Amino acid sequence: MPIRRFGGHRSLVSHSQLSKLSYGYTNMNMSRAGYRVFSANSTSACTELAKKITERLGVELGKSVVYQESNRETRVDVMESVRGQDIFIIQTIPRDVNTAIMELLVMAYALKTSCAKNIIGVIPYFPYSKQCKMRKRGSIVCKLLASMLAKAGLTHIITMDLHQKEVQGFFNFPVDNLRASPFLIQYIQEEIPDYRNAIIVAKSPSAAKRAQSYAERLRLGLAVMHGEAHQSESDMPDGRHSPPLSRTVTGHTGLELPLMMAKEKPPITVVGDVGGRIAIIVDDIVDDVEDFVAAAEILKERGAYKIYIMATHGLLSAEAPRLIEESAIDEVVVTNTVPHEVQKLQCPKIKTVDVSMILAEAIRRIHNGESMAYLFRNIAVDD
């Protein structure tokens, strides 16, 4: 029988007692090994999505305090042990984008130094995703943000409808780019009367693939709008004219390349018949709505009797609620990847679709090591 010492006194402990102690210690470790879900937001409006996700998972939101010091520095205090656990940080992006990014970075680093096993960022709307191409002498900010998140300690990201799917290549760890289209298509089928008389509209040729996917799934026609009042994203300077064209050259002047003719934007036209139809414009982001308002006016002139906007991320910046309310748009439907309760109070035309179900299921599958393929069933590359 082995002898154990407690406080200088000898005690006899049987092998069966030792095995029970060992079993109890193992069980204690197993009960600790699990996952926690934290919210990295310092504002209550941004924690609503996190609360819905934890309710669906049947877990409590992790205990932490995120706040701003008097000098605007971000402070994060994690109030419970996370050692050896999978940690999911839910970060919805409000209007103050840079503060939200800093909150996420500081919390990720705090969890990393607290010996968390894996740190997974749940970022439904990934900020700076539009800045994923070189503009003149600028920078690809999205790549910079990806590097910062990796350095802070993130090991995986769950996001939704990236502005460009190629952004996933900026990361050196897994990125799951979920889709909101099943929820928006379900809304069309259940909430739009006589949707069979609708036509899916692409606001620009660059959005035609997304619109085509909706049209094929709903068995509807497709229309594409061409020509824009404002400069499109694809026509912005991309660095191919840098360094400056005019410079002092000595010696051989080099080859004379053919001069490229400048583009001339045509007026907005619609390719497709929208007369007597419900027009449904689909896109990934609704931010400044001037383009959508102009598109709605053209569609009205062409005979569309109702106009809906469907998008994943409703940023709705600046005067968007007022412009929507005064426009020919009948309804703007967005998901709750970005908080927009204030905008809904200003404009009753704005409707919300809840996507917490798919985010909660993604968290559960990643923690359990299950395949994510179920969440991407019937999803094509262009969706």
Side-chain angles (χ1 to χ4, degrees), residues 143-341:
K143 168 61 178 173
L144 171 64
L145 180 55
S147 302
M148 291 168 64
L149 292 173
K151 191 68 176 177
L154 264 67
T155 58
H156 196 143
I157 279 182
I158 303 170
T159 187
M160 181 168 281
D161 282 335
L162 288 168
H163 185 61
Q164 297 287 343
K165 298 177 183 65
E166 292 78 11
V167 168
Q168 292 175 266
F170 293 165
F171 297 86
N172 55 7
F173 52 76
V175 176
D176 287 310
N177 183 27
L178 303 176
R179 307 294 197 274
S181 52
F183 298 91
L184 296 175
I185 288 173
Q186 183 181 23
Y187 183 94
I188 292 172
Q189 293 173 324
E190 296 179 357
E191 301 297 331
I192 298 181
D194 196 24
Y195 83 91
R196 292 290 183 188
N197 189 36
I199 185 168
I200 304 298
V201 180
K203 184 172 62 70
S204 64
S206 61
K209 287 185 177 180
R210 183 187 301 272
Q212 182 182 359
S213 173
Y214 276 71
E216 290 175 352
R217 295 179 191 283
L218 291 166
R219 278 60 171 177
L220 299 176
L222 175 66
V224 179
M225 304 190 73
H226 175 58
E228 294 175 291
H230 303 286
Q231 190 180 30
S232 69
E233 182 183 353
S234 60
D235 291 331
M236 294 175 68
D238 60 0
R240 284 177 286 188
H241 298 302
S242 178
L245 292 176
S246 59
R247 57 180 178 176
T248 304
V249 180
T250 58
H252 183 59
T253 57
L255 298 174
E256 292 186 6
L257 299 176
L259 181 63
M260 181 67 72
M261 295 181 64
K263 288 184 179 180
E264 185 177 342
K265 275 292 189 182
I268 300 178
T269 57
V270 181
V271 181
D273 183 18
V274 298
R277 302 276 192 93
I278 300 171
I280 303 175
I281 303 175
V282 298
D283 213 332
D284 61 331
I285 298 173
V286 177
D287 192 359
D288 297 323
V289 298
E290 285 86 355
D291 289 347
F292 289 96
V293 171
E297 291 175 358
I298 297 295
L299 292 171
K300 267 298 190 199
E301 292 174 3
R302 294 298 180 91
Y305 68 92
K306 274 192 176 181
I307 299 168
Y308 290 81
I309 310 293
M310 295 280 169
T312 304
H313 310 295
L315 305 186
L316 302 169
S317 303
E319 297 295 316
R322 180 183 62 81
L323 293 174
I324 293 170
E325 185 66 25
E326 296 173 357
S327 72
I329 299 170
D330 291 280
E331 202 167 275
V332 175
V333 183
V334 293
T335 70
N336 56 345
T337 56
V338 177
H340 50 263
E341 293 303 318

